[in-house]
Structures are given as C-alpha cells and as structure tokens.
Amino acid sequence: MNNYNWTEKNKELIWVDDDTLNITSTIIDRHIENGDGKKLAYIFESDDKEVIQLTYKDLFEKSNQSANLLKKYVVNKGDRVFLFLPRIPDLYINFLGVLKAGAIAGTMFSAFGADALKDRLSNSGAKIVFTTKELSERILAVKSELPELQHIFIIDDEEYIKEFASQKKEFSPVPTRSEDYAFMLYTSGTTGKPKGIVHAHAALVQQIETAKYVLDLKEGDMYWCTADPGWVTGIVYGILTPLALGVTSFVHTGRFEPDLWYSFVEKYKISVWYTAPTAIRMMMAKGDELVKKHDFSKLRYLASVGEPLNPEAIEWSQKVFEGKYFHDTWWQTETGSIMIANTPDLPLKIGSMGKPLPWVDAEIIDDEGNPVPPDTEGNLAILPPWPSIMRTVWQNQEKYSSYFLKNWYISGDRAKKDTDGYFWFIGRADDVIKTSGERVGPFEVESALVEYEGVIEAGVIGKPDEIRGEIIKAFVVLKPGVTPSEELKTKLQEHVKHHLAGHAYPREIEFIDKLPKTRSGKIMRRILKAKELGQDIGDTSTLEEY
Ligand code: PRX
C-alpha cells in the first residue's frame, strides 16, 4: 500500500472513540457546535425560479427530524433506506438523516423507470424509500414484487409533512464503526443486472483530502457540483465533501440549459465548478457569444469528470473563461474518490487525465497483472487498499473478487502512462457504455428491449458521438411477421424510457435479421461495434452466427 499517512488526516474527523465514526458528526453536526449554523449549506433554484436556502442549522435540524422519523419506523443499523427524489432539499436532508440513523443510504436517479427501481430495491432489500407523489407511481407499479419494502415515504403528502414536522430537532448520530457501511450505489457492468457498490464511513478522510487538493475547495467558496446524487459524484462531491469543508453549494433542480447555467454561475458568484464533458461540449456548441453576455470573474477553479475530456473542450474553456480551464479528473463509483487528476499545481498536458494523486499507486498492467513499459496500452490498475475503496458488492462476493488480479484493483479502463507519469485514457476494456457521462450496461437495455412484444433479441453498443461521448445504439431482431418501421422504433424507445430509464434509451435503432453470437450464444457486441464503425471485425472463428 502507498504509505501516505491517513492516521494523521483522520484526526481531522470527529470520532467518538478509535473506531467509532459516523460521518454526519463531521459533515454537519460539527458546524453547529462550532457556531457556524447560520452559514448557508445549500441554495436551490428550480426552473420556475423558486429559490430555497438551507443553512447548516436548517440541515442539522431537519436531518435530525429525518433520523427521528426513521427510528420511529424502526430503522436499525445496517438497514437499507433509499432515496428516489429529484434534486430538492428533501433528498439532501434525508440522505443525511439515513446516515445519522446508522442505516445505509441508497440513491436512485429520478429518471429511473419501474424495472430499474425494482432491480435496485429488490437486490438491496430496502426497507424504506423516500419519494414524491409523482415518482411514487413507478415504485407502486412494482411494489408487489418487493416483499422487504415496508414503507414508502411520500415527501409531498400532507400526512407525511405533518409527521415529519412533529419530530424532534435533536438527535445523536448512531455510533457506527468506521468500517460500517454508509451508502450504496448501483452501477452497471457488461453483464447482468446493476451491482450494488457499497462504501464505508471510513472513506470520508480521503474524500475530503481530494476535494481540497484536486478541486481546490476551501471555506468561503461558492461551489457548484452539477452531478445528481443518483451518481457517485453527486454524493461524494455534491453532499459529503462540500459540507465537511463548510462551503456553500448551489443546486439547480431543473434541466441543463447552457444560457441558464451561465446565468447561475454569474448570479451565485460560483468560484468552483465541477461538471462533465458532455455539458461542456453542449455549452461549446452554443457558441461564444452567449458566454460573453455573462460575468465569470468570480470563477476560480473548473474541473470535469465522468468521460474523456477532449482537448477542444479544454482549449475552448481557456478561451472563454479568461484563461481558466476545466481540469480533468478520473475515478469510478468503486474507487470512492478521485484517483488521477490534473491538480492545480500540475503543468497541463492537454488530453491527459493528469497524474495519480500522492496517495494513489496507479499502474498500467497487462492481462497477467504485470506492469507494462511507458507509452504502452494496458489495464489501468490501482494498488489497494485505500480508505475510499468500495467495501463490497452487495450480496455478490464473486463480482467483488473479479475486480482484483494479483495485488491489483482492475478498473476496467484501458490507458497508457507516459514517461513523465501522466495517464492517458484509451477506452473501456468491456462493453460498458458512457452516454453523457452516465454509465449504462448494454445488458440492461437489451433486457428492456426484448420485453417488448414483437422483439426476439437485441444487441446494444455505445456509438461514438461528438457531444454525448457515446450514444446508445440497439440492433433489434423482430419476430417473423412484425414489420419494421419508424413508428416501431419510437415505440421501442418509449418502452425503454418507461421501464428502464429516461437517459438509457437507444437514440438509434437498427432492425437486423440476426445478431453475431459466440457458439455458446453470447451476443458479440464487439462485432456489432466494429461493423457500425466500418472497422475490421477481427477474429470471427469463435462465432456461431455471423
Ligand atoms: O470509463 C471511465 C469513465 O467513467 C467510468 C466510471 O464511471 P462511474 O462509476 O459512473 O463514475 C463516474 C464518475 C466518478 C470509468 O471507468 N471515466 C471517469 N472519469 C473519466 C472517465 N473516462 C475518461 N476520462 C475521465 N476523466
């Protein structure tokens, strides 16, 4: 292991004893004890221009009420409580409430459809889910298949509002052990259903250190992390670390729109901005004139994550934001915090992800687990353990073990390291799709498609796209007698949006007669992709049908 001294850093967190750490004491309660309760924790603005402000004291009291409510409904240490909410205050308040109650918080992006919810709630055995009236319908549609789900808390229901308001505003965080689980997130791989990646309270020390060192986040900052807490970035850098550091975060509860986003940066005097390459490319596509209408003089630091940040996007940001540019950062749901980055002090090599952080031993290794020479493509691997690494894959030890080879944690990404130690991203080693920075498993989309009447089978790939990085493309085989049509494509897209997720539908669909498969019947997505891109399809000797 890297010999970075986490013991010293751990002293900055609030511990009950050597092993008792509930991170809410550090991220929220401490500010009240320090007399900083008046400070703003969050400013929310909706598309209707409604503004809600939450001070640290508000967040403290309301998360205590949430924890008391959970205790009333007999939530115990280790129970799973999920949040299926848009980016509204209740999401942030109840996330903290769950942690205070000693339970494991799970988040689900508000674009998820009924099947995606069922997979997550069922696999995790969630006891309670927080949602809104509108979103609750998707859960009710599958409730009968969720025997462990005891309560659905509808945050805009009169009864719930009354009951919540009657809870006490004091609560002493349940004394969890540092290795107890704090939150979990479902994420996609190539095969099978999404996996529950589980993180421990002990991760916070490394998360805070990265927020300071990589994002340059300091007290007094006005910070905007655009990620939704349905994804790991929105939890770690949208909730845990900005609160721990006592900064004020801005949250836009609505949809992405470049002009609106610029106006928020100006209006709220954003100093640190953490976003994703797709959003940057969408802003870039709207032209420079729009940028000139706004004042960005308070911006100090810009960073990006989730997918490759192309050189043009960096150059563009340098041009329009008066020399300030987006700093690429690399990490994953599984790593729990940023691992490789263009830190403020690092000379920029445009197009590179930067260097491993001082406490990270990253290497490029071959398929046998041996390091390869500089400038050679291989598997991006990291030497475990580190404080924020996932602790398990929920009820799937086999999957968890599959991440490790010899001494290494294998990321699933292909990359190169140059002679100066900078890392260069090449692509995924598997079929995982990254569309607008969101991780989508082809199997989930294929499963949703074959549920549709008239579809026999489907193969799904990520197709390169200038703005979104990749878009989802589906190759669909129809039952004999079913006529392919544009109308059918639209119906299939609606079907996937409805059942799986609003962001995970195939933007392109092509009807074909049969799918390339291995002798054992596995769909060869590699072949579909090569054909789509007009590339050499490589060795096809193992193919059954082609
Ligand atoms: O393929 C890499 C890509 O996103 C994957 C992780 O996705 P997720 O778990 O959803 O976490 C995203 C945000 C933490 C990685 O395996 N990825 C992430 N950052 C970068 C990236 N690809 C290229 N460049 C990056 N900076």
Coordinates of all heavy atoms in Angstrom, one line a residue, residues 187 232-233 304-309 328-334 353 411-413 425 428 434 437-439, ligand 1:
T187 N -24.4 0.3 -10.0 CA -23.7 0.7 -11.2 C -23.6 -0.4 -12.2 O -23.8 -1.6 -11.8 CB -22.3 1.3 -10.8 OG1 -21.8 2.0 -12.0 CG2 -21.4 0.2 -10.4
V232 N -22.3 8.7 -8.1 CA -21.4 8.8 -7.0 C -20.8 10.3 -6.9 O -20.6 10.7 -5.8 CB -20.2 7.8 -7.2 CG1 -19.3 8.1 -8.3 CG2 -19.5 7.5 -5.9
T233 N -20.6 11.0 -8.0 CA -20.1 12.3 -7.9 C -21.0 13.2 -7.1 O -20.6 14.0 -6.3 CB -19.9 12.9 -9.3 OG1 -19.1 12.0 -10.1 CG2 -19.1 14.2 -9.3
S304 N -13.7 18.6 -14.2 CA -14.6 17.8 -15.0 C -14.4 16.3 -14.7 O -13.3 15.9 -14.4 CB -14.4 18.1 -16.5 OG -14.5 17.0 -17.3
V305 N -15.4 15.5 -14.9 CA -15.3 14.0 -14.6 C -16.3 13.2 -15.4 O -17.3 13.8 -15.8 CB -15.5 13.7 -13.1 CG1 -16.9 14.0 -12.6 CG2 -15.1 12.3 -12.8
G306 N -16.0 11.9 -15.5 CA -17.0 11.0 -16.0 C -16.8 10.4 -17.4 O -17.3 9.3 -17.7
E307 N -16.1 11.1 -18.2 CA -15.8 10.6 -19.6 C -14.6 11.4 -20.1 O -14.2 12.4 -19.4 CB -17.0 10.8 -20.4 CG -17.7 12.2 -20.2 CD -18.8 12.6 -21.1 OE1 -18.8 12.1 -22.3 OE2 -19.6 13.4 -20.7
P308 N -14.1 11.0 -21.2 CA -12.9 11.7 -21.7 C -13.2 13.2 -21.9 O -14.2 13.6 -22.5 CB -12.5 11.0 -23.0 CG -13.2 9.7 -22.9 CD -14.4 9.9 -22.1
L309 N -12.3 14.1 -21.5 CA -12.4 15.5 -21.7 C -11.5 15.8 -22.9 O -10.3 15.7 -22.8 CB -11.9 16.3 -20.5 CG -12.0 17.8 -20.6 CD1 -13.4 18.3 -20.7 CD2 -11.4 18.4 -19.3
D328 N -9.3 17.8 -15.9 CA -9.8 16.5 -15.9 C -9.5 15.7 -14.7 O -8.4 15.9 -14.1 CB -9.2 15.8 -17.1 CG -10.0 14.5 -17.5 OD1 -11.1 14.3 -16.9 OD2 -9.5 13.8 -18.4
T329 N -10.5 15.0 -14.2 CA -10.3 14.1 -13.0 C -10.8 12.7 -13.4 O -11.8 12.6 -14.1 CB -11.0 14.6 -11.8 OG1 -12.5 14.5 -12.0 CG2 -10.7 16.1 -11.5
W330 N -10.2 11.7 -12.9 CA -10.6 10.3 -13.2 C -10.9 9.5 -11.9 O -10.0 9.6 -11.0 CB -9.5 9.6 -14.0 CG -9.9 8.1 -14.3 CD1 -10.6 7.7 -15.4 CD2 -9.7 7.0 -13.4 NE1 -10.8 6.3 -15.3 CE2 -10.2 5.9 -14.1 CE3 -9.1 6.8 -12.2 CZ2 -10.2 4.6 -13.6 CZ3 -9.0 5.5 -11.6 CH2 -9.6 4.4 -12.3
W331 N -12.0 8.9 -11.8 CA -12.3 8.0 -10.8 C -13.5 7.2 -11.1 O -14.0 7.3 -12.3 CB -12.4 8.7 -9.4 CG -13.5 9.7 -9.3 CD1 -13.6 10.9 -10.0 CD2 -14.6 9.7 -8.4 NE1 -14.7 11.6 -9.6 CE2 -15.3 10.9 -8.6 CE3 -15.1 8.8 -7.4 CZ2 -16.5 11.2 -7.9 CZ3 -16.2 9.1 -6.7 CH2 -16.9 10.3 -7.0
Q332 N -14.0 6.4 -10.2 CA -15.2 5.5 -10.5 C -16.0 5.3 -9.3 O -15.5 5.6 -8.2 CB -14.7 4.1 -10.9 CG -13.7 4.0 -12.0 CD -13.2 2.6 -12.2 OE1 -12.5 2.0 -11.4 NE2 -13.5 2.0 -13.4
T333 N -17.2 4.9 -9.5 CA -18.1 4.6 -8.3 C -17.4 3.7 -7.3 O -17.4 3.9 -6.1 CB -19.4 3.8 -8.8 OG1 -20.0 4.6 -9.9 CG2 -20.4 3.6 -7.7
E334 N -16.6 2.7 -7.8 CA -15.9 1.8 -7.0 C -14.8 2.4 -6.2 O -14.4 1.9 -5.1 CB -15.4 0.6 -7.8 CG -16.4 -0.3 -8.5 CD -16.9 0.2 -9.9 OE1 -16.7 1.5 -10.1 OE2 -17.4 -0.6 -10.6
M353 N -5.3 12.6 -18.5 CA -6.1 12.7 -17.3 C -5.3 13.3 -16.1 O -5.9 13.5 -15.0 CB -6.6 11.3 -16.9 CG -7.4 10.6 -18.0 SD -8.3 9.2 -17.4 CE -7.0 8.1 -17.1
S411 N -9.5 -1.5 -13.0 CA -10.6 -0.5 -13.2 C -11.5 -0.9 -14.3 O -12.7 -0.4 -14.3 CB -10.0 0.8 -13.5 OG -9.4 0.8 -14.7
G412 N -11.1 -1.7 -15.2 CA -11.9 -2.0 -16.4 C -11.7 -0.9 -17.5 O -12.2 -1.0 -18.6
D413 N -10.8 0.0 -17.3 CA -10.4 1.0 -18.3 C -9.1 0.7 -18.9 O -8.2 0.1 -18.2 CB -10.3 2.4 -17.7 CG -11.6 3.1 -17.4 OD1 -12.7 2.5 -17.7 OD2 -11.7 4.2 -16.9
F425 N -6.2 8.2 -21.1 CA -7.4 7.3 -21.2 C -7.5 6.8 -22.7 O -7.4 7.6 -23.6 CB -8.6 8.1 -20.8 CG -9.9 7.2 -20.9 CD1 -10.2 6.3 -19.9 CD2 -10.8 7.3 -22.0 CE1 -11.4 5.6 -19.9 CE2 -11.9 6.6 -22.0 CZ -12.2 5.7 -21.0
R428 N -12.9 1.7 -22.6 CA -13.2 0.6 -21.7 C -12.7 -0.7 -22.2 O -12.6 -0.9 -23.4 CB -14.8 0.6 -21.6 CG -15.4 1.6 -20.7 CD -15.1 1.5 -19.3 NE -15.5 0.2 -18.7 CZ -15.4 0.0 -17.4 NH1 -14.9 0.9 -16.6 NH2 -15.8 -1.2 -16.9
K434 N -20.8 4.8 -21.9 CA -20.8 6.1 -21.2 C -21.5 7.1 -22.1 O -21.0 7.5 -23.1 CB -19.4 6.5 -21.0 CG -18.8 6.1 -19.6 CD -19.5 7.0 -18.6 CE -19.2 6.5 -17.2 NZ -19.1 7.5 -16.2
G437 N -21.8 11.0 -20.0 CA -21.2 10.7 -18.7 C -21.8 9.7 -17.8 O -21.4 9.4 -16.7
E438 N -23.0 9.2 -18.2 CA -23.7 8.2 -17.4 C -23.4 6.8 -17.8 O -23.4 6.5 -19.0 CB -25.2 8.5 -17.4 CG -25.5 9.6 -16.4 CD -26.7 10.5 -16.7 OE1 -27.5 10.0 -17.5 OE2 -26.8 11.6 -16.1
R439 N -23.2 5.9 -16.8 CA -22.7 4.6 -17.1 C -24.0 3.7 -17.3 O -24.8 3.6 -16.5 CB -22.0 4.1 -15.8 CG -21.2 2.8 -15.9 CD -20.2 2.9 -14.8 NE -19.8 1.6 -14.4 CZ -19.0 1.3 -13.4 NH1 -18.4 2.3 -12.7 NH2 -18.7 0.1 -13.0
Ligands
PRX1 O1 -14.6 4.6 -18.1 C1 -14.2 5.5 -17.0 C2 -15.1 6.8 -17.1 O2 -16.2 6.5 -16.2 C3 -16.1 5.3 -15.6 C4 -16.6 5.3 -14.2 O3 -17.9 5.6 -14.2 P1 -18.8 5.9 -12.9 O4 -18.5 4.8 -12.0 O5 -20.1 6.2 -13.3 O6 -18.1 7.1 -12.3 C5 -18.1 8.4 -12.9 C6 -17.6 9.5 -12.1 C7 -16.8 9.2 -10.9 C8 -14.6 5.0 -15.7 O7 -14.3 3.6 -15.6 N1 -14.4 8.0 -16.7 C9 -14.5 8.6 -15.5 N2 -13.7 9.7 -15.5 C10 -13.1 9.7 -16.7 C11 -13.5 8.6 -17.4 N3 -13.1 8.4 -18.7 C12 -12.2 9.2 -19.2 N4 -11.7 10.3 -18.5 C13 -12.1 10.6 -17.3 N5 -11.6 11.7 -16.6

